Amino acid sequence: MNKMTIKVKTDKLKLWYGDKQALNGVSLDIYENKITAFIGPSGCGKSTYLRCLNRMNDLIDNVTIKGKVTLDGHDIYANGVDEVAVRKKVGMVFQQPNPFPKSIYDNIAYAPLMHDMVKKGKECDALVERALRDAGLWEEVKDKLSESGTALSGGQQQRLCIARTIAIEPDVILMDEPTSALDPISTQNIENLMTKLKEKYTIIVVTHNMQQAARIADMTAFFHLGNLIEYNETEKIFVNPKEEKTEQYITGKFG
Amino acid sequence: MDNYFHIPQLARRKAKAKRFKYITMMALMASVAFLLFFLSDMIIKGHGAFTQTYVKVPVHINEKTAKFTHLSIERKEYGFMVSRAWLRGLKKTLKENPQWMNTNQERWTLANSNVDQFIKGKYNRLKPKQIQKIKQMQKDGKIERRFNIIFFKKGDSKIPEFSGFMASIMGTVMTMIITMLIAVPLGVMTAVYLEEFAKDNKFTQIIEVNINNLAAIPSILFGLLGLAVFINFFGVPRSSPLVGGMTLALMSLPVIIVSSKAALKSVPDSIRQAGFALGLTKWQIVRDHVLPLAMPGMLTGAIIALAQAMGETAPLIMVGMIAFIPDISGSFLDATTVMPAQIFTWSGMPERAYVERTAAGILVLLGILLSLNAVAIYLRKKYTRTW
Amino acid sequence: MLSRKFKEQIIEILLMFASLITILTTFGILFSILFEAIEFFKMQSFFYFIFGVDWFPEADRFGALPLFAGTFYITTIAMFIAIPIGLLSAIYMSEYATKKVREVLKPMLEILAGIPTVVYGFFAAITIAPAIVEFFEIFGFHVSFQNALAPGIVMGIMIIPIISSLCDDVISSVPKHVRHGSLALGMTKSETIIHVVLPSALPGIISATLLGISRALGETMIVVMAAGLQANMTWNPLETMTTVTVRIVDAMTGDQEFSSPETLSAFALGLVLFVVTLSINIVSVYAIRKFHKKYKISNL
């Protein structure tokens, strides 16, 4: 691995829900055009950390965040930076496929139109097609673009959600356990898609499934009780972990 | 500022978002403002009725005026200011106070509604000369405003200053007794059947859908049912608390059933299973273990249903419960009126003096309804259990 | 001694009979209205009843179209007030209000919902109607004291809490992850509400609106106290007009014989009201079921 550019950098990131501290100062560099996986037992803070990267935690009352998160060296929590603008650069895919109650076409076109990225008509049609192609969904839905997005199967819905995220052309895509609600075949489709997408985007994925992390991730970070225990190339984490906790976790001693 | 995160038009979209939030807030404020306006309007219109004006005038009592009581007051001088109701009641007063006979003393008498309204600064039909006289009497301390005991003791009257709300309060109490006696057991039994006994088949589905439909039928149609079935078919006396209570009971059923079902549902299944494990029958489990636990929830539902039934007017008009009731009745079969019906009747009276009594009646009714709801909310808070 | 099983069965049958009362009530209402309505239509033409434009019971003319029109007109005025205010209030309550604000405002809306209709009627007749008359007379309009606007406005206010509480429920039960999907695309909160949350909640909102309409159509006291008695087909909300429920009350409180066409006309009108409100309710239940199925909520 050579020529690694830092895309997202966090410095001593701490987070409290009310009085309860959920992140105890996480410092982490995430590299461009790589898949970075976060693993760890539930409640370890990996999803909380992920949601700090596109300021989704702002939606929860009573959250205090300290530390620094930068995207290409730009502080996303700086004064005057709007969380809406951050989220346009850092897209997110959720655990539960959550297509909008709109047609497949509108699911994709909604955000680009609102962001004034394209005009209605041909330009928009092209964008929708491109996004669906990139998400590997085009062949399956090209004849039923006006049907409701909620009528698709679970795996298709998740790819639709990825497609609509791609459509706003973010730099980074966050994925919060994107396959945990899907069957094995759909999971495989999504995993293949992720490997393809990393050519264009930086992907950060939270997963419960260690095999998944081993299969697709270039880098893996292990979280435990709000701390970043170990962060390294995936192979090293799984084959030769430095920390005892990491080893215990990947060998199934707890979790 | 950092331009890295710049999105064209974002400022405009943000402004739009803010505007939208304010619009929704304004809508809510409009509802609240209306409520406050409405309540203050009622208090302004109605508070006057809680006091009543009395005037001190010379009363001549002798053999003749004891018989023709309207002669006991000098008509030209004081006739306009003394209530006809007071004069009418003089005979009775004399029986209680025989020492008044053959006296010519100044006595406190109930004022005519025109004087009363003038004193309260409201519309009245006093002539300028009469007003002068009243003003003089006010200076002399011969006019007093006292707590309006009549309003809380008497029934309706064609004389505004003598009309009271108590007959209708009693009527409401009696009607509600009937309503609750019918609706609560029936509603609870239905809920128990649907939640605990019935299998999920077509029959129970029909009942469930029907309960929902029943809740949406306009109340006036329940009145038509009461009239056609209870009065015309079964011969229940018209205008009686019995027929009114029966009609309202049917209306209250859906509310009671739905809340009772929710209360039963909130009792965890583990309790039932424990009962079965002890070899109890279904009914024994329901009676001894499930019902006691569901009781607070059911009670809350019953109180809410009671408050709803108490404010209902239209179906009661259909079964004739807008009778003119000067005396408080104590029978479930006699003609009666209820609070909302009394409010309706008074609001239709041509004399302006009834307006404040109507508003005061509304304040009393709202007071009772609010207290009932407060009790329901308190019960719900106190007994909400998380399993 | 009865055997335990036998006793158990008796109790179950008893409970079942109790639950049959609700069915009996619905059919009781339907048949008591239907039979008398049939009596009425034996004497009067059904066709004229539905399409006739003159309602003069004294002259034996029972054309109920102006009554339907008046009911519809006043309901429309009410819904023009209730739907936007009710829906927007619900949006504020479920999306923007902090917990503390909710705790204060929710009971206030509940109070509004608990006010008896006779009280609203008094308010419409004594406070709102004269205010409307005074206001429009500034501009030289002639306004009836029994104009359609006053009961319409007050009825709208009465329905606000019905719509807002139902909409609040459905909007709150749109799952969080649907909103987050939109917010994560860089949409503002209002864009998310308008383009994602409301379309998701649409069946529930439709259901709430239908229930509101059904309540308005059957509302009696407000119109009895504030609207007119005179059947009048007009587009002018400042004129007097009457409604189905007003004429039902008028027919039943008159001093005619029970078997007279005028009294029986109340049942014919009641039948129309029954059929219309029941159909609306069925559609509304269908809509809310659809919503609940979509998000797998089952409390109906």
Side-chain angles (χ1 to χ4, degrees), chain B residues 340-354:
Chain B
Q342 184 68 74
I343 290 166
F344 176 59
T345 324
W346 278 348
S347 75
M349 290 296 209
E351 291 95 339
R352 289 277 192 102
Y354 279 108

Side-chain angles (χ1 to χ4, degrees), chain B residues 66-207:
Chain B
K67 213 173 246 169
F68 305 100
T69 52
H70 61 278
L71 298 177
S72 63
I73 304 284
E74 289 156 44
R75 207 176 66 120
K76 263 199 177 151
E77 283 286 305
Y78 300 107
F80 77 94
M81 62 174 77
V82 177
S83 167
R84 280 188 296 135
W86 188 84
L87 293 171
R88 222 187 270 163
L90 187 56
K91 276 184 195 167
K92 206 176 143 216
T93 320
L94 272 178
K95 249 182 225 159
E96 286 158 11
N97 306 292
Q99 75 278 12
W100 285 21
M101 195 47 118
N102 295 319
T103 55
N104 294 322
Q105 273 182 18
E106 285 198 332
R107 294 187 186 279
W108 285 105
T109 65
L110 181 63
N112 177 286
S113 64
N114 270 317
V115 175
D116 180 55
Q117 295 291 293
F118 170 75
I119 295 293
K120 290 171 182 165
K122 289 180 182 159
Y123 172 89
N124 60 80
R125 283 181 303 178
L126 291 182
K127 297 184 182 82
K129 242 181 155 177
Q130 295 173 328
I131 288 176
Q132 235 172 7
K133 174 132 193 154
I134 295 291
K135 279 189 172 156
Q136 186 54 46
M137 284 180 70
Q138 246 178 322
K139 267 188 207 141
D140 300 344
K142 290 180 174 174
I143 290 186
E144 246 181 45
R145 274 172 81 171
R146 300 182 190 165
F147 176 69
N148 190 353
I149 194 77
I150 294 168
F151 185 77
F152 292 102
K153 258 174 83 176
K154 299 278 182 203
D156 199 3
S157 167
K158 297 284 184 217
I159 302 165
E161 65 270 21
F162 199 61
S163 58
F165 206 52
M166 197 56 200
S168 66
I169 294 178
M170 283 311 293
T172 290
V173 170
M174 294 204 297
T175 309
M176 288 304 120
I177 288 174
I178 301 282
T179 302
M180 289 293 114
L181 278 182
I182 297 172
V184 172
L186 272 182
V188 170
M189 281 164 83
T190 306
V192 167
Y193 177 72
L194 291 175
E195 274 305 307
E196 306 289 335
F197 286 88
K199 292 153 199 82
D200 189 23
N201 55 23
K202 261 260 140 60
F203 174 71
T204 39
Q205 275 170 23
I206 289 173
I207 293 182

